[in-house]
Each structure stands twice: as C-alpha cells, then as structure tokens.
Amino acid sequence: MRADRSLARRLARLTSLGFAAIWLLATLAMALVLRSEQEELLDLTLRETAELFQPVLVERWKSGEGGAMAPSDDPPDADEALVFLLLDSEGRVLLRSAGTAQADLPKGPPARGYRETETHAFYLTGADEAGYAVAFGDPLHERWEAYRDSFLAFLLPMLALLPIGYLMVGWIARTALRPLDALRGEIAARGDGRLDPIDAGGQPGELRAITATLNGLMIRLGRAIDGERAFATNAAHELRTPVAVALAQVQRLKAEARNDDRERIARIETALVRMSRLVARLLQLARADAGIGAATDPQDLRSLLDLVLEDSRRDPARASRLTVAMSAGPVMARIDADAFAILAGNLVDNAFQHAPEGSDIRVTLTSDAVLRVENDGICLPEAELAGLTRRFRRGRVAGGGFGLGLHIAETIARQSGGSLALASPPVGREGGFAATFHAVA
C-alpha cells in the first residue's frame, strides 16, 4: 500500500470520509422522515377535504345537479387532479368527478378509513345518516413526484456541501499542521555543521514533547561528533611530526643505501608519503567540519588560485599537463582564503589522481567567480556521481585517493554559501569529469 505523502491530505480525506458517512446517514434519515411526514400530511388533507365536502356533494345529489360524467368529458390532466365519488350504502357510484374513468376505484361497501389502489390513495368518510359516503383520492404518482421534488430540493444543496466540506477540512488541516511544518523546517536546517537546540516556544504541547526529545538527541549527537572531530584533529596533529621525521630519515637512508636495498626503501617512502597526505586530509577535514568556509570580507580568488597552482607548477610531471585560464582582473568572492585554498587544491589533486596518465588537466576561473576543474577519463553513471561527495567515497578509477577531497570541497562550498556541481562527461565532451565551484560574489 502506498503511503500518504501528506499528513494534511490524509487528515482531510479521512475527516471528509467520516463527514460523508454522517451526511449519508443524515440524508437517508431525512428521506424517511420526509416521506413519512408528507404521506401523513397528504392523508390528513384527504380526510379533511372529504369530510368537508361530504355534505356539499350529498346536497348536490339530492338537488339533482350532479350525475356521472362520461369518460370523454375528462380533461387532459385528469390523472393529476383530485378525484371524488359519492357512494350509496351498497358502494354504487352516485356522483363522480372528472378523471375517475382513468382511476382504479375502491371496491365494496364504503367504510371509514384509507384505501390505496394501483393508481390513487383514497379516504372514505363512511355512510352518513342518509346512507351516503364520499371517497376523495389523489394520484399516487403525484405523491411520488411531490416527494421526489421535495427530496431533490433538499439533496442538491446538501451535495454541494461535500466538496465545500472537503476543501474546508483541508484548509483546517493545513492550518492546524503549520507548527509541524515549521518543526520539519527546523529539523531540515540541522546537520553535522549545525546541531543547536530547536526553540519550542509557541509550539503545541504534543510538538513540545517531540522537540524536547529531538533536542536531547542532537545534544548527544553533537557531543559524539565533537569527540570524533577532536580525536581526528589531535591524531592528525600528533602524527604529522613523526611522519615527517620518519619520511626525512627514510629519504636520507635511501640516498645512502645500496642499489639492492633502494627498492624496499622506496616502498617505505611511498607508504610514508601516502600517510603524510592522509594526515593532511584529516586536518583539512577537521577544519572543514569546524566551519571555516564563511567569510565577511571578499577575497581575490585569482591570486589565491595562483598560489594553489604553484605546487603543481613546481612538479615537472604536473606542470606539462596543466592548462590554466583565468580572468585578467581580480575575481572577488566571499569565502575564507584558507578555505578556498583547501577547496581548489583538493579539486586539482583529485583531477590529477583520477585522470589517465599524460592527459591534460584544465583549470578555469571566470570573472563571475566560477572555478572549473576538468580532466579526461571514463564517464561515471549518475548514481555513482551523486555519491562522490560523501565521506570516504572513491570513484571506480584507482588513483591513490582517500575519498575525502570532494567531500571536503563540497563542505567548504556549502559553508561559504556557494555550491559544488559534478558532471561526467562535461558539457560538450564525450568523456571525462568536471567539478565546478560557484562562489558567492
């Protein structure tokens, strides 16, 4: 079963269904009451009319003014009119109204009370002292039409209440659940960089209890994250000096070693270099998690990028592959200088690590503060591309990375108010990878 995506819509639908059930029961009850009351009213009208006109019809018969009318004398709408009969004590018809030829008349001697035939409902007065009785009747289909028209006059406005009720209940549900939407927004604004407690002021009692539980959870989570960051930072700081010393000693030992020992020393040197890079990445990660991206004063990204690229330009193997295109003038953006240096350095290092040997690395900085780093290589599927900014997530091409560079860059970009976009292949190319940082100018 598909879960409802909106609590307000679910509440409105269930409430409306309950309202519709009550409405249906009320309508059925109204139909029964209307039918009963209408029948009672019409029967009462028949009885009073018959009793009122009984002496009039008897007098008419005695005076010789009445007589049976021929069926051809019936008016065209005779089946819609009241009919009456003047009967003797044997039930013979002495006087009748127009329309009786089309009516199914009561049979037998007259007896006071109601009778219903196939076409009419009659009331018989019973014989008076002279032995005369009167029967008054109205057509059954007229009664049905009157009931139908009365019921429709009640039902149609009631039907209009259903959509109006649904819309009103939906509005009420959305209005009542606004504090829940506000709480959802507050929760969505929290993350590993923001775990401050949510203000429960003005919230309903039910949400205050939930908010208190969430605040307790975020406090415990914040302590755990702070402990993790402190451990990583302290460990990286403690390891940086011993690793640097060990690397210097190994490089000195390598220079003094015999040829047959240099291969093993070189492997040790490679491991120490990789450990040194990992320590540097961990320190960068700790700084990024601490929130160094934001800055109040704009910085010149062009001069900062020149400093970042100096390391690559000093390496002949990298310098020959590097293609740089920058704006002629300063490129100002609101980002911390150290944070931009870490971001740009990680993007460039990531491109060198994962590009095919000897392929070009293209670095572009536009005047509107957009840094773009491209490299050649195979195309990555969309699902894999979306996960590259996660911590310790590496691409399919082995390049000696740790899965931290793009995560650090994305964290700094978000903290500075900018964004980092990944594309594979870049626009206009059949293969490769591009990382584009949009800074806040």
Side-chain angles (χ1 to χ4, degrees):
M1 181 181 294
R2 186 178 63 86
D4 288 323
R5 297 180 180 178
S6 171
L7 183 60
R9 188 178 297 113
R10 173 185 172 88
L11 181 61
R13 184 169 62 252
L14 293 178
T15 305
S16 298
L17 287 175
F19 175 76
I22 296 173
W23 176 91
L24 182 60
L25 292 175
T27 302
L28 291 176
M30 178 62 187
L32 295 175
V33 171
L34 179 63
R35 181 69 172 176
S36 174
E37 293 296 324
Q38 189 179 55
E39 288 291 325
E40 183 178 347
L41 177 62
L42 291 174
D43 288 344
L44 180 61
T45 303
L46 272 181
R47 187 185 71 184
E48 294 183 351
T49 304
E51 293 176 348
L52 179 65
F53 277 88
Q54 183 179 11
V56 176
L57 295 177
V58 170
E59 183 64 27
R60 180 179 179 183
W61 169 254
K62 288 180 179 181
S63 64
E65 296 178 5
M69 302 174 64
S72 60
D73 295 331
D74 291 344
D77 58 348
D79 61 337
E80 299 182 2
L82 289 172
V83 297
F84 63 84
L85 302 168
L86 181 62
L87 307 171
D88 62 12
S89 59
E90 301 296 329
R92 291 187 296 269
V93 177
L94 305 177
L95 185 66
R96 69 181 177 89
S97 66
T100 53
Q102 301 174 5
D104 182 18
L105 303 178
K107 305 296 189 296
R112 185 179 300 275
Y114 296 98
R115 294 189 191 179
E116 187 172 301
T117 66
E118 291 187 1
T119 59
H120 286 68
F122 286 92
Y123 178 78
L124 283 76
T125 61
D128 60 5
E129 294 178 355
Y132 297 109
V134 171
F136 257 84
D138 59 355
L140 292 178
H141 72 87
E142 278 297 303
R143 289 193 171 199
W144 166 250
E145 288 180 2
Y147 169 72
R148 181 193 62 195
D149 294 343
S150 300
F151 182 68
L152 288 178
F154 165 78
L155 181 64
L156 294 180
M158 291 293 290
L159 281 174
L161 290 178
L162 290 178
I164 295 174
Y166 176 76
L167 295 176
M168 182 173 295
V169 169
W171 176 81
I172 293 173
R174 289 191 297 272
T175 302
L177 293 177
R178 279 176 186 169
L180 188 60
D181 291 334
L183 176 59
R184 181 179 59 188
E186 290 287 344
I187 295 173
R190 267 61 179 176
D192 56 357
R194 182 188 175 188
L195 292 174
D196 54 296
I198 299 173
D199 183 12
Q203 291 182 348
E206 296 82 358
L207 291 186
R208 283 200 298 270
I210 295 175
T211 302
T213 303
L214 284 173
N215 287 338
L217 175 62
M218 286 191 294
I219 290 174
R220 293 192 297 272
L221 183 60
R223 290 172 180 170
I225 292 177
D226 289 342
E228 178 186 344
R229 290 172 180 171
F231 172 77
T233 304
N234 293 335
H237 274 294
E238 292 297 328
L239 286 173
R240 183 169 55 178
T241 300
V243 169
V245 172
L247 180 60
Q249 293 295 329
V250 167
Q251 289 172 343
R252 180 178 178 181
L253 183 62
K254 179 181 177 182
E256 298 173 354
R258 299 188 304 271
N259 291 337
D260 54 349
D261 292 329
R262 286 186 177 181
E263 183 178 353
R264 289 184 299 170
I265 296 175
R267 288 197 296 268
I268 298 175
E269 181 186 17
T270 300
L272 289 173
V273 169
R274 179 174 173 79
M275 183 178 293
S276 178
R277 288 179 52 234
L278 176 58
V279 169
R281 285 287 187 272
L282 290 175
L283 287 172
Q284 291 178 357
L285 178 61
R287 296 190 64 192
D289 286 341
I292 65 169
T296 56
D297 299 326
Q299 305 290 331
D300 182 10
L301 303 189
R302 187 182 186 281
S303 59
L304 292 174
L305 185 59
D306 266 332
L307 293 175
V308 171
L309 295 177
E310 279 301 316
D311 289 338
S312 297
R313 288 170 176 155
R314 284 196 294 266
D315 185 348
R318 286 194 170 191
S320 61
R321 301 169 57 188
L322 190 62
T323 302
V324 181
M326 290 192 289
S327 176
V331 179
M332 308 303 293
R334 295 185 181 278
I335 184 173
D336 181 81
D338 289 342
F340 178 75
I342 293 174
L343 182 149
N346 276 290
L347 294 184
V348 173
D349 285 346
N350 184 78
F352 275 111
Q353 289 170 10
H354 296 91
E357 190 69 27
S359 62
D360 290 339
I361 305 300
R362 297 167 292 278
V363 180
T364 305
L365 180 63
T366 63
S367 58
D368 54 348
V370 176
L371 172 65
R372 184 181 181 88
V373 181
E374 297 182 32
N375 60 273
D376 297 329
I378 62 174
C379 293
L380 300 178
E382 189 69 25
E384 183 176 347
L385 193 67
L388 287 181
T389 56
R390 297 177 184 174
R391 190 175 301 201
F392 299 111
R393 180 65 63 87
R394 292 185 291 182
R396 64 177 63 182
V397 178
F402 306 103
L404 291 174
L406 291 179
H407 170 75
I408 294 171
E410 194 275 335
T411 302
I412 292 175
R414 176 166 36 84
Q415 291 172 353
S416 68
S419 62
L420 179 67
L422 308 180
S424 181
V427 178
R429 295 183 177 272
E430 296 182 357
F433 178 86
T436 305
F437 168 56
H438 295 263
V440 178

